[in-house]
Each structure stands twice: as C-alpha cells, then as structure tokens.
C-alpha cells in the first residue's frame, strides 16, 4: 500500500487506517476449528478487504496496475512464479534490429520473438512460428487472442510465460490478458470492477474517518451525500448540513462549521479543498482535534481535484492518510456518455420550444457531439492534442442558446450556432489550433442546414431519430447505437490498437517501478542492482561516439549556405548532448566504485538506467522522444551516423533523414531560403510544398536539383496509396506504415493548390501537441473532414 504513492500522490494510507481494516477483516473471516483452514481464511479475508479498501480510491486507469501488483507479489511470495520471468515481462528489453520474414508480424514483434528465443524457456519459438505460420497467424489476428490456445507444445507453458508470449505477439491485448491472469490466479472477485454503494461506505466513516471524494470532470459526487442526508434527516433546511465551497475567504466559515458540527453532531461538506492550499495545515489540525470526543453523528465530507503533476500536489499527507478516499469518474463508452448527456434534460425542456421539430433535431446531435468530445479523450493524442475539461455546463448552456436563437429567428441560423458552440462554448476550453479545427469539423458534420429533409447519420447505421419524447430517445439509443468502436468518433478502428498498446506499455512501466529493487534483484537473480546498472553503463560508454570537432568541420569550406549552417547547428547540439552523457556516466561510474559520494543527481541517473528510462538531464538536451532508454540510445547512434556522413564533405545527402534532426523546422526553412535566393522570391510570401514520390530511399542516388528529398515520415490514422498518390483508409490491424520519399520544395503563396487537399500536421512524436513541426498538403480523394475526425497526422517517429 505504501508504494502506491509512487503512482499518484493522492494514494496515501496510514498504518492507523490499515489497522482498522485489518481488525474488521479478522472479525469477518470465516471461522473454522482446523487451524490451517482458519489461517487461510484470515489471510484471504485480510487481503481482499485491504484490496477493496485501496481500490475505492483509485482512478480507473490505475485499478488494473494495483490488481496486477497484488497478484504478482502474492505469487512471488508463494514461489508460484519465477522472479526472472516476471522481470522479463515487465522490462521487455528487446533488441530492435530484426526484420520480420512474415507479413502478419511487424518488425518490433519479430524482434521480440528473436530476443525471447535466446532464453531457455522460449528456445525454438522463432523456428516454430516460421515453420507453421498459418496456425500462428490465427492467434495473432484473432479478435480476442488472449482466449486462444497457442499452437504445438507452447500451450503447455506456465500462465506467466504465456503472458510474455502475448506481449510479443499482441501488445494491445495485454490489459485483457493480465485481467484474465489475475482472475485465474486470485479468483474472479479481484478482476471485476464494481461501484461502491455510498450508503455502505457511510457506515464505515466516523468522526475520526472523514470521506474524501477525488473529483473527475463532469461528475458531482455530492449528490450522493445530499440524497443520503435527506433520508437520514441531515439537510441544509434542517440546519444539520453545512455546505461550504472553499475559495474567496470561506476558510473562517468552514472553521466555524466544523466547530459547531463536532459539538452538535452535524454534517459538513467542504468543496474543492485544493483551492485553499495555505489553509490546509489548519484544516488538518481541526480534523485531528475533532476526531476525538466529538458527537457520534458528526461527519466531514471533502471534495478535491487531483493535481495535474506530482509537483503541484498540495493536500497534506495527514488528511489523505486518515480518510476514506473515493474516486468518482464519469461513465466510459459512447452508450453511457450519450445517456448521461441526455440526462441533463427532461420532457419539459424538450417541449419548451415553439419550433419543437427543429429544436429536437439539433438537440440530439448536440448530445452526441458532447459525448464524442468527452470520450474522445481516451484515445490520447490521436483524440486530442491536449486534455480539455469539457463538462455538462457546456452542453446545457449550448442548448439554452439554441432555444433562444430558434425563438428569435424565422430561419435556423446554422453559421451563428456552429460558431457559438464550436468557438465559444466548447472552443473556450481549447488552446490548440488543430484541436479547434477538429471541434468545428464535428459541428459541421453533425449540424447541416439540410439535415431535416434527409436522415443525418451520426455513426454508421445510427441516424438522428425523428420527433420522439424524452423516454423514446433513451430507448432509441439502447436499441440502435452500434457496439462501442473508435468509428463512433470518426476514428479508424486501428486507433483502438494504438490506444490499448500505449495503455498496456504504461501498465507494465508502472508495475516495474512498483517492484522494490531488492525483490527484482532478490532470489534467483544473477546480479545486484549496482552490477546491473554498471553493465548498462559500460555498454553505453563503450558505444558512445566521439564529439564533432567544430573547427575541423567549419574549416572545410568557406561557403555558408542554409544547408551547411543546418549541419553546423546539428553538430553543435549533438556535441552538447554527447558531452552531458559522457560527463554524467563518468561521474556515476566513480560513484559506483566508491571514489565519489553519490549525489541526488547520480541516484536519479542510476534509477533511470535500472528502469530503462531516459534520464531527465539527457532529455532536457535531446529531442522529444517516446522511446525507452535502450531504443533511444540505438536511435541516437543512428542520428550520429547520419550526421557523420553529412559532416564528412558537407554535401547534402541524396535523401535526407528528416527525423534525425534536433530541429527539423530549420531544415525546412533552409529549403525555403535556398529557393528564395535562387529565384529571388520574397521569403515571407512563400511556403513549403510537398510531392510524395512512388519510391523509397534506396532507389535514389543523387539529391534533388532544387529543394530536397526527405524520408522518415509515418502516416498515423490512415495509409498512403503509393500508386494512386493520395491519402487512403488504413488497412485493419496494419502497423503505422512508413511514407515513400517526399520531395520538398518552396513556392510563392499565390501558387498554392487548395482543391482535393488535406492539410496534414507533422509532429515529431506520437505525443503530438507541442512537438508540432509544420503542415504538409497531402492529396486526398475524400473530403478533408474524414481525415480531420480520424486524427490523421504525419509523425517523424513511431
């Protein structure tokens, strides 16, 4: 329990609170006269009670992490799984240098299989897969591969070894596979998610055990408190319930309320305690003071928003440790979100507008739009570049505006309504231009001037219903909405694979950091933590390239063309990074030998190397990257090799690896500068234009006459039709494909082609957001709206 604060500072538990849980569990355990059986009953009951106590206060995204951690720790203690197998599953250190011989396995999957084949438990796996590809293809392409049996004798492997194989073959299904593993080992009660009944929780609380609601956008948990209060006679009207919304000098009122309530046995609700950081120490003292000798009916309920980062966390440990924590999160999936959106209204609201037909025909798509923008967040950066707190207020105000506009105009003012909803009500939250484009495109799709005459489809097969009553709409959703899929949001079905793969990678990363370093390097492990770090450190040092001798390079030519300046800048930035890597590793090496005192910075570096993370001090000087340390270092060596060949004779490579730059923008600017200079065009009236060729890097032997050939781009959310030369629908389950070589040049603004074009953003990594590089105009046969909703973008690394 104590380790969980590493995941989120909200997860803090005291020994005192655990003690209460422990004693209650001992009383609840099944009695038995057989000592062994009684002990087992006690262990089971204590474990499960503690698990439930923790789970209530966890965010949905962390529940599986904690469940898996409980399972792995119990199995390690009982010697039911091998520590080395677990370490391999969590780290999954793969040598990424293999190319797949089979079309249904990506290079990274094949690299994982080859790496595993060197281990005794998986020897021969690569040969077996190559030998009977059909049987393996069935497993890999199954809808639920975690339920399939592996071919040949691989089906007899232990459950943990099967998990390792599944992580290689279908990383996107690991959350399901881990859940099945927990169910198999600990029983189904650990694997099922249940909502806790508030009335039941109330019985556990007391004057010394306040309840904290950890808030999520769009959820109001205090309704539960008020409805239970009215049943038990604690209401604002009766004076037995005081509701204080903190901020703007409400602290004194809160102090008086607590004082009075503790004496007279009232309830106090303190909303948004995170807004009064300076007063929280006083609150902690007051809660402590009134926890003893108060009226038995006295209760305190608090609500708090979690801080966006651990550094901004302000809630004192004492308050968190000694209270019952409950997370309330909005429902997930389109079905639940669409019902929840409709729940903001009732029959009276549907009847209030004199132009009932039009009002309802716009209100329903608006509810769907609201559900879309809220739930699209789960797809990460492919959904939205940044996270926004869209809430029910945005929807109810929009409907109010809709009512006023319909009452006041004889024609439906489509443009005005779309502008108000997309730029102001919802757009008011949005800070990124591409996200704004997405929001406005949704409204253009769901609010069309001729939608009354024909059926407007919100999702495939789900059209805006004709005039129904309030219950009728709910019923229509239940009967007609297709099963949950990324397609509901305009995304390609593959978006789910990407989102699930990222989720499962994060799951294993969190689990790895939760393992105590001693347990990983404990029984059965061949190396101590220091030895393991030393081996990684030596390996990095051995391959680390020498820096670039800038005076040598700059003396090779007197010419300072835009391209040569880019080369110099890149070499200088690489030097700074290589110098820091060398310096910090040397220092840590001396620390491990005992010749230097280990500083906090060296300790952070050691932890990063141990967990295969990129050290912060390197990251600050490097380029954005989502890779683990091993992958990142291979990538760094490739970048150095590319720079070496360019710095050798300073002639532009025939095809430039655009992803290998610290600053890809500067290269594109250099393309514009050299063409502006050559053609005497004004630089501020030009822009970059691209033509995607039909060839790949190996087929080019010399550079372009003007402009440049570039490679290293990947198209996410769609695929590139090489023969047709346009953006096309991606193939199901296909990995993100590399683009052919792209010819980049610059032209004056007045020659811009705008028809049949998708303006495609280019980002450095799949985190998108602040890694934006530029915009490429790609040819498209479909309307751009399709690609905008699908979140289609070019990435420099996947």
């Amino acid at each position: 329990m104590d380790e969980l604060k590493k995941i989120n500072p909200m997860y803090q538990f005291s020994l005192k609170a655990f003690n209460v849980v422990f004693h209650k569990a001992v009383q609840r355990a099944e009695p038995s006269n057989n000592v062994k059986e009684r002990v087992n009953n006690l262990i089971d009951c204590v474990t499960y009670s503690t698990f439930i106590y923790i789970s209530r206060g966890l965010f949905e995204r962390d529940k599986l992490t904690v469940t898996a951690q409980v399972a792995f720790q119990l199995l390690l203690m009982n010697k039911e799984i091998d520590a080395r197998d677990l370490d391999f599953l969590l780290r999954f250190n793969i040598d990424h240098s293999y190319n797949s011989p089979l079309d249904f396995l990506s290079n990274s999957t094949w690299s994982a299989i080859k790496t595993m084949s060197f281990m005794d438990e998986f020897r021969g796996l690569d040969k077996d897969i190559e030998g009977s590809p059909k049987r393996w293809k069935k497993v890999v392409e199954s809808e639920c591969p975690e339920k399939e049996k592996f071919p040949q004798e691989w089906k007899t492997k232990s459950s943990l070894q099967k998990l390792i194989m599944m992580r290689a073959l279908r990383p996107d299904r690991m959350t399901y596979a881990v859940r099945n593993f927990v169910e198999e080992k600990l029983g189904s009660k650990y694997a099922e998610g249940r909502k806790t009944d508030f009335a039941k929780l109330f019985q556990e609380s007391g004057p010394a055990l306040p309840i904290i609601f950890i808030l999520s956008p769009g959820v109001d948990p205090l309704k539960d408190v008020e409805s239970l209060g009215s049943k038990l006679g604690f209401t604002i009207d009766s004076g037995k319930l005081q509701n204080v919304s903190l901020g703007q000098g409400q602290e004194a009122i809160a102090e008086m309320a607590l004082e009075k309530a503790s004496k007279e046995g009232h309830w106090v609700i303190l909303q948004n305690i995170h807004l009064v950081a300076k007063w929280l120490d006083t609150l902690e003292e007051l809660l402590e003071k009134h926890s003893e000798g108060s009226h038995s009916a006295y209760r305190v309920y608090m609500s708090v928003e979690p801080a966006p980062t651990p550094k901004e966390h302000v809630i004192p440990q004492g308050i968190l440790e000694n209270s019952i924590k409950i997370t309330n999160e909005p429902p997930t999936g389109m079905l639940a979100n669409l019902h929840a959106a409709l729940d903001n209204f009732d029959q009276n609201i549907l009847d209030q507008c004199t132009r009932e037909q039009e009002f309802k025909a716009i209100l329903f798509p608006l509810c769907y739009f609201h559900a879309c923008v809220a739930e699209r967040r789960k797809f990460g950066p492919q959904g939205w570049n940044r996270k926004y707190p869209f809430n029910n207020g945005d929807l109810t105000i929009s409907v109010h505006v809709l009512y006023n506009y319909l009452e006041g105009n004889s024609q439906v003012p489509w443009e005005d309504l779309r502008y108000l909803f997309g730029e102001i009500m919802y757009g008011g939250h949005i800070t990124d231009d591409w996200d704004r484009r997405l929001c406005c495109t949704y409204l253009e799709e769901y609010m069309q001037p001729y939608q009354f005459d024909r059926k407007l489809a919100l999702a495939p097969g789900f059209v805006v219903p004709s005039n129904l009553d309030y219950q009728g709409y709910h019923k229509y959703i239940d009967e007609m909405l297709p099963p949950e899929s990324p397609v509901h949001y305009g995304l390609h079905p593959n978006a789910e694979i990407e989102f699930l793969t990222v989720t499962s990678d994060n799951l294993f990363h969190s689990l790895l950091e939760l393992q105590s370093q001693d347990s990983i390097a404990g029984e059965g492990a061949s190396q101590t933590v220091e030895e393991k770090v030393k081996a990684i450190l030596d390996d990095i040092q051995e391959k680390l390239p020498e820096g670039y001798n800038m005076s040598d390079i700059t003396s090779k030519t007197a010419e300072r063309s835009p391209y040569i300046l880019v080369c110099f800048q890149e070499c200088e930035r690489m030097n700074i990074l290589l110098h820091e890597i060398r310096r910090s590793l040397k220092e840590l090496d001396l620390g491990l030998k005992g010749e230097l005192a280990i500083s906090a910075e060296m300790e952070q570096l050691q932890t990063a190397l141990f967990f295969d993370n990129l050290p912060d001090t390197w990251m600050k000087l490097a380029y954005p990257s989502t890779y683990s340390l091993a992958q990142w270092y291979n990538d760094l060596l490739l970048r150095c090799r590319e720079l070496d060949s360019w710095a050798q004779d300073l002639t532009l490579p025939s095809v430039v690896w655009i992803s290998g730059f610290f600053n890809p923008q500067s290269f594109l600017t250099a393309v514009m500068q050299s063409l502006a200079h050559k053609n005497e065009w004004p630089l501020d009236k030009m822009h970059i234009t691209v033509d995607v060729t039909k060839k790949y890097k190996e087929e080019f032997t010399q550079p372009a006459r003007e402009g440049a050939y570039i490679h290293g781009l990947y198209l996410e959310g769609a695929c590139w039709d090489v023969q047709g030369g346009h953006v096309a629908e991606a193939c199901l389950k296909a990995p993100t494909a590399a683009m052919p070589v792209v010819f980049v040049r610059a032209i004056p603004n007045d020659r811009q082609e705008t028809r049949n074009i998708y303006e495609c953003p280019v980002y450095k990594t799949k985190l998108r957001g602040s890694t934006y590089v530029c915009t490429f105009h790609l040819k498209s046969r479909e309307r751009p709206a399709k690609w905008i909703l699908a979140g289609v973008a070019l990435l420099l690394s996947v």
Side-chain angles (χ1 to χ4, degrees):
M1 283 167 72
D2 204 39
E3 295 281 295
L4 295 184
K5 56 177 176 285
K6 288 182 187 168
I7 302 182
N8 191 310
M10 281 290 179
Y11 303 160
Q12 306 209 21
F13 304 93
S14 67
L15 193 57
K16 190 169 105 186
F18 170 71
N19 232 332
V20 176
V21 176
F22 180 84
H23 285 294
K24 278 187 181 159
V26 170
Q27 287 159 11
R28 229 181 287 144
E30 286 279 314
S32 169
N33 295 332
N34 177 328
V35 173
K36 193 168 179 197
E37 197 176 293
R38 170 69 176 155
V39 170
N40 282 341
N41 292 347
L42 282 169
I43 291 175
D44 285 350
C45 195
V46 169
T47 308
Y48 187 61
S49 302
T50 311
F51 172 72
I52 289 296
Y53 172 72
I54 298 172
S55 301
R56 281 191 312 232
L58 297 176
F59 293 111
E60 209 52 54
R61 61 173 181 267
D62 298 324
K63 282 185 176 160
L64 185 58
T65 311
V66 173
T67 310
Q69 170 68 348
V70 168
F72 289 141
Q73 290 305 319
L74 291 175
L75 296 167
L76 278 174
M77 263 166 34
N78 299 339
K79 308 247 186 320
E80 286 181 49
I81 57 173
D82 182 50
R84 277 170 307 193
D85 281 353
L86 179 61
D87 190 43
F88 182 76
L89 171 71
L90 300 184
R91 281 178 189 282
F92 223 62
N93 273 349
I94 300 301
D95 172 2
H96 283 276
S97 57
Y98 296 93
N99 286 329
S100 169
L102 299 164
D103 60 348
F104 65 92
L105 297 178
S106 67
N107 288 346
S108 61
T109 299
W110 187 248
S111 295
I113 290 162
K114 290 298 278 186
T115 306
M116 286 161 62
S117 302
F118 290 112
M119 297 163 64
D120 289 342
E121 298 93 327
F122 302 106
R123 205 167 294 281
L125 178 61
D126 51 346
K127 305 230 172 14
D128 277 1
I129 294 178
E130 278 191 273
S132 48
K134 267 201 180 133
R135 294 167 71 179
W136 286 93
K137 184 175 180 169
K138 180 173 174 270
V139 174
V140 172
E141 297 194 343
S142 158
E143 279 302 304
C144 302
E146 67 281 0
K147 292 183 178 156
E148 299 279 339
K149 280 203 166 74
F150 285 120
Q152 295 132 323
E153 72 274 13
W154 299 101
K155 59 171 140 325
T156 60
K157 289 285 173 196
S158 76
S159 304
L160 186 61
Q161 286 160 354
K162 286 179 186 163
L163 272 186
I164 294 174
M165 286 157 65
M166 189 54 70
R167 186 165 185 194
L169 295 167
R170 281 292 297 276
D172 59 301
R173 297 298 297 177
M174 286 314 287
T175 45
Y176 300 95
V178 169
R179 200 169 274 123
N180 290 353
F181 176 84
V182 171
E183 198 167 330
E184 178 195 334
K185 297 292 185 189
L186 300 186
S188 58
K189 61 182 182 180
Y190 282 87
E192 59 203 22
R194 294 189 316 285
K195 257 191 108 54
T196 331
D197 178 30
F198 180 68
K200 204 166 150 192
L201 272 179
F202 170 73
Q203 291 161 5
E204 289 181 32
S205 69
L209 262 185
I211 291 182
I212 288 190
F213 295 102
I214 302 173
L215 299 171
S216 298
V219 177
D220 177 18
L222 300 170
K223 281 182 186 155
D224 291 341
V225 179
E226 288 170 350
S227 67
L228 183 68
S230 60
K231 279 183 198 147
L232 300 176
F234 291 86
T235 57
I236 293 178
D237 298 342
S238 71
K240 287 189 169 184
L241 172 67
Q242 182 111 18
N243 188 342
V244 186
S245 195
L246 289 164
Q248 293 177 333
Q250 295 291 302
E251 296 90 341
I253 295 170
E255 287 175 26
M256 279 156 46
L258 288 169
E259 185 70 42
K260 186 176 174 200
S262 65
K263 288 188 185 128
E264 300 179 17
H266 297 169
W267 288 7
V268 181
I269 297 176
L270 301 176
Q271 292 193 49
N272 301 326
I273 61 172
H274 57 281
L275 297 178
V276 285
K278 293 196 176 87
W279 178 71
L280 291 176
D281 291 336
T282 313
L283 174 61
E284 188 179 355
E285 284 163 23
L286 288 172
L287 292 173
E288 182 66 32
K289 178 180 148 193
H290 299 314
S291 68
E292 285 165 19
S294 294
H295 193 293
S296 62
Y298 156 71
R299 294 286 185 281
V300 181
Y301 307 95
M302 293 170 274
S303 73
V304 58
E305 268 181 30
T309 62
K311 284 196 181 89
E312 297 166 72
H313 175 79
V314 292
I315 312 300
Q317 191 176 347
I319 295 182
L320 287 173
E321 284 188 345
N322 296 319
S323 33
I324 296 173
K325 292 181 280 299
I326 303 169
T327 47
N328 280 67
E329 288 184 270
T332 55
M334 180 51 86
L335 183 72
N337 270 284
L338 193 48
H339 279 305
L342 253 184
D343 284 339
N344 291 298
F345 311 106
D346 56 25
Q347 190 60 47
N348 297 339
I349 292 178
L350 291 185
D351 295 340
Q352 70 179 2
C353 188
T354 48
R355 295 163 65 184
E356 186 187 356
Q357 182 80 31
E358 284 123 318
F359 181 64
K360 286 182 178 176
I362 299 175
L363 184 137
F364 191 83
L366 204 52
C367 287
Y368 190 87
F369 162 73
H370 177 78
C372 252
V373 296
E375 189 62 5
R376 192 180 166 104
R377 285 185 288 227
K378 75 176 180 193
F379 295 100
Q382 206 177 337
W384 294 102
N385 271 338
R386 294 183 166 81
K387 289 193 166 75
Y388 303 111
F390 299 120
N391 57 45
N392 289 335
D394 301 326
L395 176 62
T396 48
I397 292 171
S398 297
V399 168
H400 190 67
V401 167
L402 170 67
Y403 167 75
N404 289 340
Y405 265 71
L406 287 180
E407 292 289 338
N409 293 287
S410 57
Q411 292 290 312
V412 178
W414 293 103
E415 290 266 318
D416 299 6
L417 288 172
R418 282 203 299 252
Y419 181 83
L420 285 164
F421 304 156
E423 298 283 352
I424 297 171
M425 303 309 169
Y426 286 85
H429 297 289
I430 296 177
T431 52
D432 178 282
D433 290 345
W434 298 102
D435 286 343
R436 189 172 290 279
R437 174 176 82 158
L438 170 67
C439 180
C440 294
T441 304
Y442 264 133
L443 286 163
E444 279 163 21
E445 294 297 294
Y446 297 159
M447 290 178 59
Q448 298 175 356
Y450 44 83
Q451 72 185 52
F452 301 141
D453 314 326
R454 60 174 188 84
K455 292 289 185 198
L456 173 75
L458 299 171
F462 187 66
V463 295
V464 177
S466 47
N467 199 340
L468 299 171
D469 64 357
Y470 182 68
Q471 287 312 320
Y473 282 117
H474 276 301
K475 192 162 166 249
Y476 179 79
I477 295 169
D478 282 332
E479 287 171 2
M480 298 305 293
L481 188 72
E484 183 66 19
S485 146
V487 177
H488 287 5
Y489 313 95
L491 289 155
H492 189 273
N494 288 358
E496 188 150 54
I497 297 179
E498 174 59 25
F499 147 70
L500 288 171
T501 306
V502 170
T503 309
S504 85
D505 285 347
N506 292 343
L507 166 73
F508 289 118
H509 209 88
S510 304
L511 281 168
L512 182 61
E513 294 190 340
L514 283 178
Q515 310 305 312
S516 65
Q517 297 194 4
D518 309 330
S519 82
I520 303 182
E523 303 152 34
S526 50
Q527 300 170 299
T528 64
V529 173
E530 279 78 14
E531 283 167 358
K532 191 154 195 156
V533 170
K534 176 84 173 104
I536 298 168
L537 183 149
D538 289 345
D539 184 46
I540 295 179
Q541 276 185 326
E542 192 184 317
K543 295 179 188 161
L544 193 67
E546 287 299 315
Y548 296 91
N549 184 332
M550 291 312 294
S551 56
D552 272 8
I553 295 175
T554 49
S555 64
K556 283 181 184 174
T557 174
E559 191 194 351
R560 293 288 179 266
S561 73
Y563 295 131
I564 287 176
L565 288 174
V566 169
C567 181
F568 291 169
Q569 286 164 355
E570 290 290 320
C571 291
E572 278 166 0
R573 285 195 64 173
M574 188 57 88
N575 272 348
I576 295 169
L577 176 60
L578 294 175
H579 173 78
E580 171 56 31
I581 295 176
R582 188 170 284 112
R583 181 203 67 76
S584 56
L585 290 178
K586 209 167 174 181
E587 192 178 76
L588 179 60
D589 203 8
L590 291 171
L592 292 174
K593 287 178 184 156
E595 294 172 26
L596 262 183
I598 298 252
S599 65
E601 190 192 307
M602 287 151 77
E603 208 162 88
Q604 280 171 340
L605 177 61
Q606 178 176 339
T607 308
L609 295 182
F610 184 76
F611 286 126
D612 196 25
N613 291 341
L614 185 55
D616 285 347
T617 50
W618 302 3
M619 204 191 304
K620 283 190 186 112
L621 300 173
Y623 32 84
S625 175
T626 55
Y627 291 157
S628 65
L629 177 61
Q631 256 181 305
W632 179 86
Y633 193 57
N634 283 343
D635 182 55
L636 176 80
L637 298 177
L638 288 174
R639 286 167 185 253
C640 289
R641 206 173 306 154
E642 193 81 3
L643 257 186
D644 290 343
S645 63
W646 194 7
Q648 202 81 47
D649 53 4
L650 296 175
T651 53
L652 195 64
S654 49
V655 182
V656 176
W657 183 34
I658 185 103
S659 321
F661 289 120
F662 280 84
N663 187 356
Q665 286 96 325
S666 67
F667 179 75
L668 296 171
T669 308
V671 170
M672 291 204 347
Q673 286 168 334
S674 54
L675 277 156
H677 182 71
K678 185 176 168 187
N679 298 318
E680 295 184 348
W681 291 334
L683 196 59
D684 58 347
K685 297 204 169 99
M686 294 169 62
H687 64 268
I688 286 284
T689 179
V690 296
D691 288 307
V692 184
T693 69
K694 292 185 178 176
K695 299 187 212 162
Y696 288 85
K697 178 190 174 232
E698 296 70 31
E699 302 171 60
F700 288 84
T701 49
Q702 58 218 64
R705 278 210 299 280
E706 55 172 32
Y709 293 125
I710 58 171
H711 77 109
L713 292 157
Y714 296 85
L715 193 61
E716 186 176 54
C719 79
W720 183 258
D721 181 328
V722 181
Q723 291 315 314
H726 58 85
V727 185
E729 184 90 17
C731 304
L732 278 175
K733 294 200 174 74
T736 308
M739 291 282 283
V741 167
V742 176
F743 175 41
V744 186
R745 55 200 173 88
I747 52 173
N749 286 344
D750 53 8
R751 296 193 204 161
Q752 177 60 48
E753 177 73 43
T754 51
R755 284 180 52 232
N756 304 335
I757 285 294
Y758 167 57
E759 290 185 25
C760 183
V762 181
Y763 298 100
K764 290 180 189 170
T765 73
K766 56 184 173 206
L767 292 179
R768 301 191 179 197
S770 59
T771 69
Y772 171 74
V773 179
C774 61
T775 306
F776 281 177
H777 289 108
L778 300 180
K779 291 196 170 65
S780 166
R781 290 187 180 166
E782 307 260 2
R783 291 171 35 250
K786 178 181 171 76
W787 310 124
I788 293 171
L789 297 187
V792 173
L794 284 164
L795 309 177
L796 298 186
S797 80
V798 289

